[in-house]
């Protein structure tokens, strides 16, 4: 069941069949518009008509719309989704469960079959369509005229047959009477009958011409009416787009409005529905999402210590509390080692393409199932984007040397935030990996780690990732991407857990990713936001960290992209406060005292923490020069698609459409992308056919098995996921890729 339906209120009555009748009633969620999204409506199916009302009580006086099933097309989508198309208009509906959706589909198809049968056997079936009286009279008049002309044609046809037969008899008689005295009379009769035949033939020709003229005249009128309807529909689409532009302008106006409007807007905002499907309230929750604590910096420390700490923060240096190597965060060694790899890629071509023209028919669908050209992608696969989480791997190197598990938790939290810093300008979609596609990143010499990813499932798309570092840590994850297009924005929800274990102390950390949202799909500049909560748990010590990514709000006075967090021990006692932004830096401040304050929203008291001066945990590297023309790639991202010797034949670097796109050959890349996707569909059908054959023969069915990963249950968390089974790096050393499938 989709997240959308879960977030909407569950109806008290979802499906009713009236006893002794073919009437069905129940609640469904209907797509209304780009601002309101899906709304619950009461539907009634009766006599081949599907009518809907805002509420059940509204049936007595107001019908919101009616769909004629006899001429409707019923399409069943995924996740309880169905689409009815009638009269050039599509109705997107959702049920609350798969079973209920199947009931509705069965009833709709049966009602459509009955209505179609009645339409073919009843002269009055056309009266069900709500046609205006004037148009109905004009149409009926045209049909009567054509019928009259057709009667004239039938009469002329009968006369031609009659006079033609008489003429034939006269000619025969004339032939028999050659040489007789009465031949003159017979010749006169033949001439008269020939004249009648000619007159009748001319009348037939004129009647045919009249019939054709009437048909052509009304055909042109009907074509004009059809063209008018098309223009009206186009005008309606333009009107909707103009409304979207006006809405966008209002949003910009609010963004630049004086702070006096902020208090008024925030005050009324608390009464609004916080459903993430209601776009009217999408950005009006800043006051609700404020942290549940207040931080006060302690004042009983020397000025020298405060200024020293501030210098460390402003300069990006490493606080002495965390520093074990003067080069850990300075980045000098980091940049020096990267100079041996490429530092630029070809500039992105300036191709204009309307995203809305492609996405407007995909509302409510999963993003991975929407066929999209490479124009909306970046030349990296999802496997490479997962690997990009290692941009700030030195944070984990420092965490591996920590003696305190709480200090280590702070660094792990900073690492979890740092993975989002590369997305701030990256609104393009990565390539969906093919099933069995892999990606390796061997940075053993530079940074001491090796990384391997594999696409282990295609629907739903899932990738497994494993990283081993010689500097004391191992990271693994299995991520399934659930993405939905909501009309005005795209939500990307990574499902799955990230595991991190340190070798020396055995601390095992687990956390999940948050939701990413790309806004302004209809109009305006695309921008991305990260929002949600991250819970990091140390399964060995039971320490926890709660991170909150505040969604962007026009009415908030806080810094955009704000992240706050609290690190607590196994007893729930807070020891550190974390603060910063996911696109710049994170800091930690040690708590020295806590107390209950007042003044919280809705009368709730907030905890007041007195802390020491903050210490810098992580700071973002600057982007390379000319990054705006290179898809805003970071220094690491620029090297991810660089060709290397000895990689597996399934490696993302070797994917032809991705390489062509990076080279700026987008038309050729689109051709290759279609070829690869069609080949993948053929492979899936072949596997399904083999599975069906095995089922018929009573053999055991074994689904697709990844090459380098296997499903196991984690002892600490108890969850089942794909983990690295080993063998990849050994196969690379031997250059034995005989097990790898041909996917490109």
């Amino acid at each position: 069941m989709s997240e959308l339906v879960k977030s909407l209120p569950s109806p008290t009555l979802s499906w009713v069949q009236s006893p002794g009748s073919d009437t069905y009633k129940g609640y469904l969620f209907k797509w209304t518009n780009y601002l309101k999204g899906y709304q619950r409506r009461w539907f009634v199916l009766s006599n081949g008509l599907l009518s809907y009302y805002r509420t059940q009580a509204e049936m007595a006086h107001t019908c919101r719309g009616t769909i004629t099933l006899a001429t409707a097309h019923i399409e069943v989508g995924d996740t309880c989704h169905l689409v009815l198309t009638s009269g050039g208009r599509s109705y997107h509906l959702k049920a609350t469960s798969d079973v209920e959706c199947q009931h509705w589909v069965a009833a709709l198809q049966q009602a459509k079959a009955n209505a179609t049968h009645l339409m073919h056997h009843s002269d009055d079936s056309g009266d069900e369509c709500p046609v205006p009286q004037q148009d109905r009279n004009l149409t009926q008049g045209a049909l009567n005229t054509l019928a009259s002309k057709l009667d004239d044609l039938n009469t002329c046809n009968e006369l031609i047959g009659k006079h033609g037969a008489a003429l034939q008899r006269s000619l025969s008689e004339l032939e028999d009477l050659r040489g007789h005295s009465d031949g003159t009379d017979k010749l006169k009769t033949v001439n008269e009958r020939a004249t009648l035949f000619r007159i009748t033939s001319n009348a037939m020709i004129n009647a045919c011409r009249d019939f054709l003229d009437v048909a052509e005249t009304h055909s042109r009128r009907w074509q004009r009416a059809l063209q008018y309807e098309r223009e009206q529909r186009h005008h309606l689409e333009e009107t909707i787009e103009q409304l979207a532009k006006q809405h966008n302008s209002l949003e910009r106006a609010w963004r630049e409005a004086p702070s006096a409007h902020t208090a008024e807007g925030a005050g009324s905002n608390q009464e609004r529905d916080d459903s993430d499907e209601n776009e009217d309230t999408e950005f009006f929750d800043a006051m609700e999402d404020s942290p549940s604590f207040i931080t006060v910096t302690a004042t009983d420390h020397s000025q020298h210590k405060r200024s020293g700490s501030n210098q460390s923060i402003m300069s990006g240096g490493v606080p002495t509390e965390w520093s074990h190597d003067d080069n850990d965060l300075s980045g000098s060694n980091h940049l020096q080692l990267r100079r041996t790899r490429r530092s630029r890629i070809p500039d992105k071509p300036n191709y204009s393409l309307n995203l809305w023209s492609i996405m407007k028919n995909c509302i409510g669908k999963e993003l991975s199932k929407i066929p999209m050209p490479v124009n909306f992608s970046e030349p990296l696969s999802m496997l490479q984007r997962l690997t990009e989480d290692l941009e700030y791997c030195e944070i984990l190197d420092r965490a591996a040397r920590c003696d305190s598990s709480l200090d280590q938790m702070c660094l792990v939290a900073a690492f979890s935030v740092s993975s989002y810093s590369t997305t701030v300008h990256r609104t393009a979609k990565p390539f969906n990996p093919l099933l069995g596609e892999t990606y390796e990143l061997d940075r053993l010499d530079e940074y001491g780690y090796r990384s391997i990813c594999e696409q282990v499932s295609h629907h739903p798309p899932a990738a497994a990732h494993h990283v081993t570092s010689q500097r004391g840590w191992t990271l693994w994850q299995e991520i399934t991407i659930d993405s939905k297009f909501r009309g005005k924005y795209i939500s990307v929800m990574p499902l799955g857990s990230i595991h991190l274990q340190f070798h020396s102390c055995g601390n095992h950390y687990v956390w999940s990713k948050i939701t990413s949202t790309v806004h302004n799909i209809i109009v305006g500049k695309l921008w991305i936001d990260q929002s949600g909560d991250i819970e990091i748990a140390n399964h060995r010590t039971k320490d926890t960290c709660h991170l909150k990514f505040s969604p962007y709000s026009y009415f908030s006075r806080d810094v955009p992209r704000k992240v706050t967090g609290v690190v607590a021990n196994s007893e729930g006692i807070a020891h550190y406060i974390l603060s910063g932004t996911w696109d710049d830096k994170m800091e930690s401040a040690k708590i020295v005292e806590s107390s209950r304050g007042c003044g919280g929203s809705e009368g709730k008291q907030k905890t007041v923490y007195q802390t020491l001066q903050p210490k810098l945990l992580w700071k973002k590297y600057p982007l390379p020069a000319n990054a705006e023309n290179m898809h805003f790639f970071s220094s690491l991202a620029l090297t991810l698609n660089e060709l290397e010797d000895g990689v597996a034949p399934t490696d993302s670097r070797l994917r032809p459409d991705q390489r062509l796109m990076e080279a700026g050959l987008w038309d050729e890349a689109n051709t290759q992308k279609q070829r690869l996707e069609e080949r993948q569909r053929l492979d899936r059908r072949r596997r399904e056919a083999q599975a069906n054959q095995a089922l018929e023969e009573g053999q055991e069915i074994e689904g697709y098995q990844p090459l380098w990963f296997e499903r196991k249950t984690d002892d600490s968390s108890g969850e089942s996921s794909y983990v690295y089974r080993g063998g990849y790096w050994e196969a690379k050393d031997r250059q034995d890729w005989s097990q790898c499938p041909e996917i490109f």
Side-chain angles (χ1 to χ4, degrees), residues 307-319:
S307 61
S309 175
N310 288 336
Q311 274 189 349
S312 173
I313 294 171
M314 296 302 294
S315 64
V318 184

Side-chain angles (χ1 to χ4, degrees), residues 244-487:
K245 291 180 179 179
Q246 294 175 359
H247 181 72
N248 190 58
S249 300
L250 289 173
E251 288 182 341
R252 288 199 302 269
W254 270 111
R255 187 185 308 176
E256 300 168 358
S259 58
H261 295 289
T262 303
E264 180 182 353
S268 61
N269 174 55
Q270 296 179 0
E271 301 176 359
R272 294 178 178 261
D273 182 12
D274 60 354
S275 169
D276 57 5
E277 293 303 322
N278 189 342
E279 294 201 11
D280 284 331
T281 62
E282 184 177 350
F283 300 115
F284 302 93
D285 51 2
M287 302 304 292
E288 298 277 339
D289 289 333
S290 59
S292 59
F293 57 85
I294 301 173
T295 305
V296 179
T297 304
T299 58
D300 55 347
H301 295 272
S302 66
Q303 180 68 27
H304 174 74
K305 184 172 183 179
R306 289 199 301 270
S307 61
S309 175
N310 288 336
Q311 274 189 349
S312 173
I313 294 171
M314 296 302 294
S315 64
V318 184
T320 55
E321 181 177 349
W322 303 106
S323 177
H324 294 271
D325 186 344
D326 291 340
N327 290 326
D328 273 351
L329 198 61
S330 64
S332 59
N333 192 35
H334 177 86
L335 295 175
Q336 181 180 359
L337 290 172
R338 287 190 175 182
R339 287 172 189 158
T340 60
R341 302 185 182 273
R342 69 179 186 180
S343 59
R344 65 171 294 109
I345 59 175
D347 287 356
K348 174 183 177 182
N350 187 20
Y351 289 161
S352 61
L353 191 62
N354 186 5
L355 178 61
W356 174 242
S357 65
I358 295 178
M359 301 295 287
K360 66 181 180 180
N361 296 322
C362 305
I363 297 173
K365 293 185 179 180
E366 185 178 341
L367 192 60
S368 63
K369 296 183 179 180
I370 299 175
M372 296 188 51
V374 301
N375 305 53
F376 302 120
S377 301
E378 61 180 20
L380 291 178
S381 74
M382 192 63 205
L383 303 181
Q384 291 166 309
R385 286 292 291 267
L386 277 180
T387 307
E388 207 174 341
D389 288 354
L390 303 173
E391 176 92 26
Y392 299 94
C393 62
E394 68 274 7
I395 302 177
L396 299 183
D397 297 342
R398 291 160 54 199
R401 299 191 293 265
C402 283
D403 296 328
S404 168
S405 63
L406 293 173
D407 292 347
Q408 190 178 71
M409 174 68 84
C410 292
L411 288 169
V412 172
F415 174 78
S416 69
V417 175
S418 70
S419 62
Y420 297 99
S421 64
T422 61
T423 67
V424 62
H425 301 295
R426 304 264 291 277
T427 56
K429 175 180 177 288
F431 279 73
N432 291 328
L434 304 175
L435 186 63
E437 185 174 335
T438 60
Y439 180 75
E440 69 158 72
L441 188 67
D442 190 346
R443 292 292 191 265
L444 208 58
D445 296 335
E446 295 107 322
Y447 305 112
Y449 69 81
R450 277 177 164 179
S451 167
I452 175 66
C453 290
E454 182 179 5
Q455 187 77 359
V456 297
S457 172
H458 185 60
H459 282 306
H465 184 204
H466 182 85
V467 190
T468 301
S469 173
Q470 293 179 338
R471 301 180 182 177
W473 53 270
T474 299
L475 182 144
W476 67 97
Q477 59 179 321
E478 179 198 342
I479 298 297
T480 301
I481 301 298
D482 184 14
S483 50
K484 292 293 184 181
F485 174 51
R486 306 297 190 185

